[in-house]
Amino acid sequence: MPSSQTLVVKIGTSSLTQTPSGHLALSTIASLVETLSSLRQQGHRVILVSSGAVGVGCARLGLTERPRSISMKQAVAAVGQGRLMRVYDDLFTTLGQPIAQVLLTRSDLVQRSRYVNSYRTFRQLLQLGVIPIVNENDTVAVDELKFGDNDTLSAQVASLVNADWLFLLTDVDRLYSADPRSNPDARPISLVDKVAQLAELQVEVGDRGTHWGTGGMVTKIEAARIATTAGIRTVITDGKTPPNLTRILQGEDLGTHFAPQPPLANARKRWIAHGLVPAGRLYLDEGAVKAIVQAGRSLLAAGITELEGEFQPQDAVQLCDRTGKEIARGLVNYSHNELQKIRGKRSDQIAAILGYEGAETVVHRDNLVLSLA
């Protein structure tokens, strides 16, 4: 095991809180703090993505169920976040480990300048030996710019900092072919070479989290897809036993491992692939698909058959084949209104159709990233 690796550890509400009260599971948190501090002392760079603010806020306010409205959830999160950070700070301080609170919204990663600034902030904190504790900024986030769950947030952060490992700590010890809590025939899965392989393994994935959480296994698998395509080994394992992190790093066969795929070396392309939210979809003919996938060419207007969504120049879009399967994504040079007029047309016809000179390409290959199957 290399002496210094970058580790992103996400712990869910189900692991941080007691059922059914929603109060903090202090013994688990103390064990997590001790484990992360130890890993930091061993030379690893550690980032913690922590859920629990809404659950803690609910317990603090005496609420018996998770709020549904955005405004109520944001208010409760504001109450819970301070309490959660105080507990972390008290425990980490006891071990002499400095921490920092980092609250993110999706727009921090969507805008290129803020994405770069976020990266520099994390890099500086890690160089200082600090453990950043990350959560979504529920108090100000709006639906269009929400990660939606901390599994996705942790994968985006792991991609941002080019992490070596992403650990998803949850209420089961690994991924199973079905929910082991309700299906006695569920089979454990130790290794997934590619996320697409799960369909072949006939894995049943529920879409519900716990009473207090927002996730569920489906969001963890999506997080694993994001992280592994960024070249990050991802592990789903038991959140009630944080010392397992050290054992996994030492090579023990615990949890479900998702093998990393060859990463994108270009930081800008990593941002396009993992940081942006596509605003539309472009459907391509077979010739355009072949030119992009096999020859690495740019997308021209002639290859577009249909389009969906409302977008402006430099927005991210998905490039799909006729069946709707995503083959790539990239930054578009035209708005949806302009593309409706020029789709299917040759590049030398664009000026006459639009009445002004436009870009020769719809998505230039320098701003285009192939999607992994």
Side-chain angles (χ1 to χ4, degrees):
M1 177 182 69
S3 59
S4 179
Q5 298 188 88
T6 301
L7 319 174
V8 176
V9 179
K10 183 267 175 179
I11 188 163
T13 302
S14 61
S15 302
L16 286 172
T17 57
Q18 302 171 0
T19 305
S21 68
H23 292 294
L24 287 173
L26 293 175
S27 60
T28 299
I29 298 174
S31 178
L32 176 68
V33 166
E34 190 171 6
T35 299
L36 298 186
S37 297
S38 174
L39 290 170
R40 178 68 203 91
Q41 289 163 11
Q42 293 170 34
H44 298 296
R45 297 170 293 277
V46 180
I47 297 173
L48 173 62
V49 178
S50 176
S51 299
V54 174
V56 172
C58 286
R60 187 81 169 195
L61 296 170
L63 303 178
T64 57
E65 62 179 34
R66 191 180 183 89
R68 299 180 185 277
S69 73
I70 291 292
S71 59
M72 184 63 170
K73 180 183 176 186
Q74 290 174 328
V76 169
V79 172
Q81 186 65 28
R83 168 67 175 153
L84 186 62
M85 284 304 300
R86 180 182 174 185
V87 170
Y88 277 129
D89 191 49
D90 286 346
L91 292 171
F92 275 110
T93 298
T94 300
L95 297 175
Q97 173 59 53
I99 62 170
Q101 177 176 239
V102 179
L103 297 177
L104 293 175
T105 62
R106 194 65 185 258
S107 58
D108 294 319
L109 303 186
V110 168
Q111 295 180 17
R112 178 66 180 164
S113 61
R114 292 169 70 173
Y115 179 91
V116 172
N117 190 57
S118 297
Y119 166 75
R120 288 172 177 164
T121 300
F122 276 112
R123 183 181 63 183
Q124 191 66 67
L125 287 169
L126 295 175
Q127 286 176 348
L128 290 169
V130 173
I131 294 180
I133 300 181
V134 185
N135 198 357
E136 180 159 18
N137 197 348
D138 286 314
T139 306
V140 299
V142 294
D143 266 354
E144 310 89 79
L145 287 174
K146 283 182 69 64
F147 294 97
D149 61 84
N150 276 348
D151 296 320
T152 302
L153 170 60
S154 67
Q156 297 282 10
V157 169
S159 175
L160 170 70
V161 302
N162 202 17
D164 299 291
W165 292 78
L166 170 62
F167 292 96
L168 301 171
L169 306 187
T170 186
D171 53 1
V172 291
D173 62 340
R174 64 180 64 200
L175 180 65
Y176 288 80
S177 58
D179 190 337
R181 295 167 295 190
S182 58
N183 188 337
D185 297 324
R187 293 175 289 105
I189 298 171
S190 296
L191 176 65
V192 178
D193 287 323
K194 289 189 177 181
V195 172
Q197 175 191 7
L198 293 175
E200 302 167 18
L201 294 173
Q202 297 181 316
V203 175
E204 297 175 20
V205 180
D207 60 356
R208 296 188 61 186
T210 64
H211 176 60
W212 294 110
T214 58
M217 197 54 72
V218 72
T219 61
K220 288 167 183 59
I221 289 172
E222 174 60 16
R225 184 193 67 77
I226 294 169
T228 54
T229 56
I232 301 161
R233 177 170 288 273
T234 302
V235 182
I236 294 175
T237 191
D238 180 19
K240 294 292 187 184
T241 317
N244 282 353
L245 296 177
T246 302
R247 296 169 63 191
I248 291 169
L249 288 168
Q250 291 171 344
E252 289 195 39
D253 183 20
L254 298 169
T256 297
H257 291 240
F258 293 79
Q261 307 304 308
L264 293 163
N266 185 302
R268 179 177 171 80
K269 291 205 170 188
R270 285 205 307 271
W271 168 66
I272 293 171
H274 309 299
L276 297 180
V277 182
R281 294 163 65 92
L282 308 184
Y283 293 87
L284 316 182
D285 62 26
E286 291 181 14
V289 171
K290 187 176 294 185
I292 290 170
V293 175
Q294 297 181 10
R297 293 179 181 166
S298 302
L299 172 64
L300 304 179
I304 302 172
T305 59
E306 300 287 343
L307 59 96
E308 292 178 0
E310 297 183 1
F311 47 85
Q312 299 302 317
Q314 297 308 301
D315 279 350
V317 294
Q318 294 171 291
L319 309 184
C320 305
D321 63 17
R322 289 183 182 275
T323 68
K325 178 185 176 183
E326 180 183 320
I327 60 141
R329 59 179 58 187
L331 304 181
V332 68
N333 289 326
Y334 291 96
S335 71
H336 63 282
N337 287 326
E338 291 169 322
L339 268 188
Q340 283 289 11
K341 297 173 184 176
I342 65 173
R343 66 182 175 88
K345 307 297 184 182
R346 298 193 316 271
S347 297
D348 59 10
Q349 297 176 292
I350 291 176
I353 295 170
L354 296 180
Y356 48 85
E357 288 286 343
E360 182 179 343
T361 61
V362 173
V363 179
H364 193 276
R365 63 186 181 185
D366 290 346
N367 292 326
L368 186 152
V369 181
L370 294 180
S371 302
L372 294 177

